[in-house]
Amino acid sequence: MRKFIHIILAAAVLMFSAACTEQLGTDPGTDPGPKVTIYQYSPGDGYNSDEDVALRFVTNGKAEKLYYLVELLADKEAFVANNGSVAYADKVISEGVEVSSDALTSYSDTLTGLAGTYAVTAAAIAGSKKELSESVFYGLSWKTLSTGTYTFSVLSSMGLEPAKTEFQVCETDPNLFRFKDVFKPGYSLKVVALPDYTNTDDYGTYTYCRVPVQDTGFTYGDYGAIGVRDIGYWQGDASYVTDGGYESCYYTDGPEKGYLYIFVQYYVSAGNLGYNYDSYVPDVE
């Protein structure tokens, strides 16, 4: 019996050793070489979340140096295809940003103006060892369709004047539009067109739109942030927009081509501030 117990214990030791070998590098602090992990966060107030991102680089403590390079993902992929990943590691080191030695364990940076798909590549170095990590940021790039004036309904009663803005379409999604910085810098209003829902009236042919939940960047007294959304999102029922007479309209043809009428509700956490049509009138060319 004692011999049998010894065999079991020996097997257990072997299993434990094998488990440690398999897990080496997967638990924090167990990596044999340098390692860096990249985290993405929303940059917060004052930034454009479509094109700006906050990054944090965290090493495993074995890294002696840290570099990072930001470029279009397509450019990175083309370079690696032609030159290989080892050469790209050298490129990160030679062309990238070097993190100071006293910030190696946790370093933060905020990148702005990334309209497109960007690769953030970090190189952690210890002696002759180089380890790369990548994080991809999908920034939204926009094309201006017109300039014009956006007039608020509910917010006008709070003193918000009509705003000059650009009406833009997302270059990667033809049904996604925005009024750039219409509330204030960094706070645009996004509108999603519904191509399967169209109608015609005396002013032309229009496409129905949805207005997802968004932050205006404004606050209302002690009630906090003011949000905006269409009636369908408010009531949790899309038919309010598609069938119920609370539609937002984008005129794509006819006498009012380029005009938009946006039926939205403004609200705070405590409740409703009001709802009505906002409007956009393009400049005369």
Side-chain angles (χ1 to χ4, degrees), residues 15 106 162 168 170 234 258:
M15 289 175 63
S106 181
Q168 301 178 318
C170 180
W234 177 23

Side-chain angles (χ1 to χ4, degrees), residues 37-189:
T37 303
I38 308 170
Y39 298 93
Q40 289 189 18
Y41 303 94
S42 174
D45 194 39
Y47 289 93
N48 180 357
S49 60
D50 287 347
E51 302 177 0
D52 305 339
V53 61
L55 299 172
R56 187 162 68 97
F57 302 84
V58 179
T59 66
N60 62 348
K62 294 182 173 62
E64 299 169 358
K65 293 184 178 181
L66 179 63
Y67 300 82
Y68 65 96
L69 178 66
V70 182
E71 65 175 346
L72 288 168
L73 179 62
D75 292 343
K76 174 183 176 177
E77 290 176 340
F79 183 95
V80 172
N82 292 327
N83 303 281
S85 57
V86 174
Y88 192 76
D90 294 334
K91 180 181 179 180
V92 173
I93 295 168
S94 63
E95 300 180 14
V97 176
E98 181 177 6
V99 176
S100 61
S101 58
D102 59 350
L104 286 180
T105 55
S106 181
Y107 175 77
S108 298
D109 191 9
T110 299
L111 308 178
T112 59
L114 303 184
T117 303
Y118 279 80
V120 180
T121 308
I125 302 172
S128 60
K129 295 181 179 180
K130 305 171 187 176
E131 292 291 336
L132 295 183
S133 293
E134 178 189 87
S135 182
V136 177
F137 174 71
Y138 297 93
L140 299 180
S141 56
W142 301 88
K143 177 182 177 181
T144 298
L145 298 177
S146 66
T147 59
T149 302
Y150 190 99
T151 301
F152 302 93
S153 54
V154 174
L155 295 187
S156 66
S157 64
M158 302 177 190
L160 194 61
E161 298 290 333
K164 294 294 293 184
T165 186
E166 297 176 41
F167 180 59
Q168 301 178 318
V169 61
C170 180
E171 294 186 318
T172 56
D173 184 348
N175 294 316
L176 177 61
F177 301 87
R178 75 171 182 178
F179 298 98
K180 182 181 179 183
D181 297 336
V182 70
F183 296 112
K184 60 182 182 178
Y187 290 88
S188 302
L189 177 65

